[in-house]
Amino acid sequence: MMGLMASEETRTMTPPTVRSSAAHDARKPGGPSTRAWTTRLLVLGIVLSALNLRPAITSLGALLEEVRDGLGMSGSVAGLLTSVPPLCFAVFGVMAPRLARRFGAGAVVCAGMAAIATGLAIRPYAGGTAGFLAASALALMGIAVSNVLMPAIVKQWFPDRVGSMTGVYSMGLALGTSLAAAVTVPVSEALGGSWQSGLALWSGLAVAAILPWLPFVRGRAAASASARTGAGREDRSETGLEDRTEAGTEDRSEARREATPAPAPADPARGEAPPMRITRSRTAWALAVFFGLQATAAYITMGWMAQIFRDAGVPAGTAGLLLALTMAMGVPLAFVIPRLATRLPHQGPIVLVLGICGLIGYAGLYLAPAGGAWAWALLLGVANCAFPLALTMVGMRARTGPGVAQLSAFAQSTGYLISIPGPLLVGVLYQHSGGWGLPITLMSALMVPQMVVGWLAGRNRTVEDEAGR
C-alpha cells in the first residue's frame, strides 16, 4: 500500500499548510528530496496515528466492569466516563486548525501522539476516579486534534485520492479499535488479572506513532527559525507579498495564494481567500449533526456493548471478542465505503443501508442478546461504518484543504458536543431501570434522525458555495 502511494506522489504532493518544511525547501538548491520518502513516511504516520485513535476507548470498554470495581464507580459515573471522549473531542478538536497554522499539522499530530502515550501510561496508576479521568482527558486531547487534522492532511497531500486514502486511514482506525477490544482482556488475564496492565500496554503503540512525525516537527522548527532571521524572504518574494515580522506569516500567506479561492470577494492584492462563514452552510450543519449522532452510537457501542452481552450471560472474554467483531467490520468496509462514496453523486443511499443494519442490530440486542450475539455484533459493526463515511463526506463537501480543515473542525467539534449526553444517558437509564430495554430503545430511536441528516449531508454540494451566500 505504501509503495502504491509513493508511486503517485507526483500527483499528490500539495501546499504547505500541511507539508513539512522539508517539502517547503525542495525548491531551493541542495534541498532534501521530498518525493518518495516523504510520501511513504507520511502514509506510515497516517496509518500508525489511525491505529491509536480508539484503543484508549475500546480497551476501557472491554474492562469497564473491572475498572468500575477497582475505582468504586457507580453506573452513572461510568456513564460519565464513557461521555468523556466526545467531550474532549469537542473541546480540544476546535483548537486543531489554529494549532496547525501556528506549528504545522505534522507537529500537532506528533504532539497528539505523545499526549496519547503519556495519558495511557499513567491513567491506570493515577489513583482514584479523578486521576483516571484527568489522564484519560490528556490522551483524548491528543486523539481530538489528530481526528480533526487527518481529513485535512489527506485533502492536502492526496487531493485526487481522497477516497482511497481516507479508506487507508479508516482501516487503520478500525483495526486499532478492534485489536484493543479483542486482546485487552486476554492480555490482562495473562498478566495476572491486572486491569491496570491491560490498559497501560496501549501506550507503547502510541510511542511508535510519534516517530514518523518527528522529521515534520524538525522541519517546521527550522522554517520558523529561518523566518525569524529573514532567511525566508526568498519565498515571500515569490508571492509578491511584503515582508512580515510575525513568525509563521509566510506559510499562511503562501497557503492563501496556492489554495483555490472561494467564490466570495477577496483581496487579490494580498493573495487571500475570503474567510468562510461555515455556520451559514446547511450542509455543514447537516454533516455536523450526522457526525454527532453516529458518534453517539459509536461511543455507546464501544463503552457499553460488551457489558450488554455480559449481563446477558456471555463470558467476559467472549463479550470482548463480540465487541472486537463489531469494530473489526470497519477494517474492510472502511476501505470500501469511502471509495464507493466518492464515486456516487449522492451518499444518502449508503447512509440508509448503514442505518437499517443498525436498527436490525438493536432489535436483536433487545429481543435475544445472547442467542444471536454474533449476528447483532456484525450488523452493528456495519452500522458503525457511518464514521468513515462521515470523514469522506467532510473531504467531499469542501473544495480546498483549508476549507476541509474548517469544515472538519466545525463538524467534529459540533458533532462531539451533540454526542456527549448519549453514553451518559445510557448509564443513567441502565442504573435506574435495572436492565437494557430502555437504553436500547434510546439507541434505536436516535438512528432515525441520523439517517435523515445523513441523507441531507450526502447531497452533491460544497460548503464554500453555501457559506458565501
Side-chain angles (χ1 to χ4, degrees):
M1 181 63 68
M2 289 176 59
L4 173 63
M5 297 306 165
S7 70
E8 302 183 355
E9 81 281 348
T10 57
R11 294 186 297 159
T12 59
M13 308 299 288
T14 59
T17 49
V18 173
R19 70 187 178 194
S20 71
S21 72
H24 178 74
D25 292 338
R27 296 170 297 182
K28 301 180 181 180
S33 172
T34 60
R35 296 295 185 180
W37 77 266
T38 302
T39 303
R40 292 191 181 101
L41 194 63
L42 184 63
V43 173
L44 178 62
I46 289 172
V47 172
L48 286 177
S49 298
L51 287 171
N52 281 279
L53 296 184
R54 292 299 179 270
I57 303 166
T58 51
S59 62
L60 176 61
L63 290 172
L64 184 59
E65 184 171 317
E66 287 76 11
V67 173
R68 287 176 57 190
D69 293 340
L71 298 178
M73 292 183 185
S74 66
S76 298
V77 174
L80 175 63
L81 183 61
T82 57
S83 292
V84 168
L87 173 62
C88 291
F89 294 167
V91 171
F92 298 116
V94 72
M95 301 163 50
R98 179 175 297 180
L99 291 172
R101 289 193 297 268
R102 175 66 180 87
F103 300 104
V108 175
V109 173
C110 184
M113 295 300 110
I116 295 171
T118 303
L120 294 186
I122 65 176
R123 75 171 178 175
Y125 309 103
T129 301
F132 191 94
L133 287 171
S136 295
L138 176 62
L140 293 167
M141 176 178 66
I143 296 173
V145 294
S146 302
N147 272 337
V148 169
L149 292 179
M150 283 300 169
I153 289 173
V154 168
K155 183 75 170 183
Q156 288 282 15
W157 284 78
F158 307 96
D160 57 345
R161 298 188 62 84
V162 170
S164 60
M165 280 305 302
T166 301
V168 170
Y169 158 69
S170 300
M171 285 177 63
L173 191 150
L175 182 60
T177 305
S178 58
L179 281 176
V183 308
T184 299
V185 171
V187 169
S188 297
E189 294 174 350
L191 296 174
S194 169
W195 61 266
Q196 290 93 339
S197 300
L199 294 181
L201 68 93
W202 296 103
S203 62
L205 183 61
V207 171
I210 297 172
L211 303 178
W213 297 103
L214 291 177
F216 297 90
V217 175
R218 291 198 301 270
R220 178 51 64 102
S224 297
S226 177
R228 286 192 298 269
T229 60
R233 293 190 181 186
E234 172 186 353
D235 294 301
R236 286 195 292 274
S237 65
E238 291 175 6
T239 65
L241 302 179
E242 295 179 355
D243 188 18
R244 311 286 180 101
T245 58
E246 181 182 356
T249 300
E250 172 192 344
D251 285 338
R252 292 194 295 273
S253 301
E254 186 177 348
R256 295 188 186 105
R257 175 179 61 84
E258 293 186 28
T260 302
D267 184 0
R270 300 180 61 186
E272 294 180 348
M276 182 167 58
R277 291 176 288 184
I278 194 74
T279 56
R280 296 185 62 177
S281 169
R282 294 180 180 179
T283 298
W285 279 107
L287 188 53
V289 176
F290 175 68
F291 199 99
L293 292 175
Q294 68 80 29
T296 300
Y299 288 110
I300 290 174
T301 299
M302 286 186 282
W304 290 107
M305 196 177 80
Q307 191 65 49
I308 293 174
F309 286 126
R310 292 178 71 169
D311 288 350
V314 177
T318 304
L321 290 176
L322 289 165
L323 178 59
L325 173 63
T326 299
M327 302 298 108
M329 289 303 300
V331 177
L333 292 180
F335 190 69
V336 173
I337 289 177
R339 292 171 65 89
L340 177 62
T342 56
R343 296 176 183 178
L344 295 176
H346 195 312
Q347 291 75 49
I350 305 177
V351 173
L352 296 183
V353 171
L354 299 181
I356 291 170
C357 289
L359 289 174
I360 297 173
Y362 289 137
L365 281 182
Y366 186 89
L367 298 173
W374 293 99
W376 317 141
L378 187 148
L379 287 168
L380 291 173
V382 175
N384 274 348
C385 288
F387 176 72
L389 177 60
L391 289 181
T392 305
M393 288 196 289
V394 167
M396 296 177 67
R397 296 288 88 89
R399 289 197 301 268
T400 67
V404 170
Q406 189 176 354
L407 176 58
S408 179
F410 174 75
Q412 294 200 43
S413 296
T414 305
Y416 284 126
L417 281 174
I418 293 171
S419 70
I420 290 171
L424 176 60
L425 185 56
V426 165
V428 172
L429 291 175
Y430 170 57
Q431 179 173 343
H432 290 283
S433 68
W436 288 105
L438 286 178
I440 293 174
T441 301
L442 172 66
M443 297 180 226
S444 301
L446 291 176
M447 187 60 69
V448 176
Q450 177 180 321
M451 295 164 69
V452 173
V453 294
W455 180 274
L456 296 176
R459 295 175 297 175
N460 186 18
R461 57 193 64 192
T462 62
V463 294
E464 286 93 345
D465 293 334
E466 296 179 342
R469 292 173 184 171

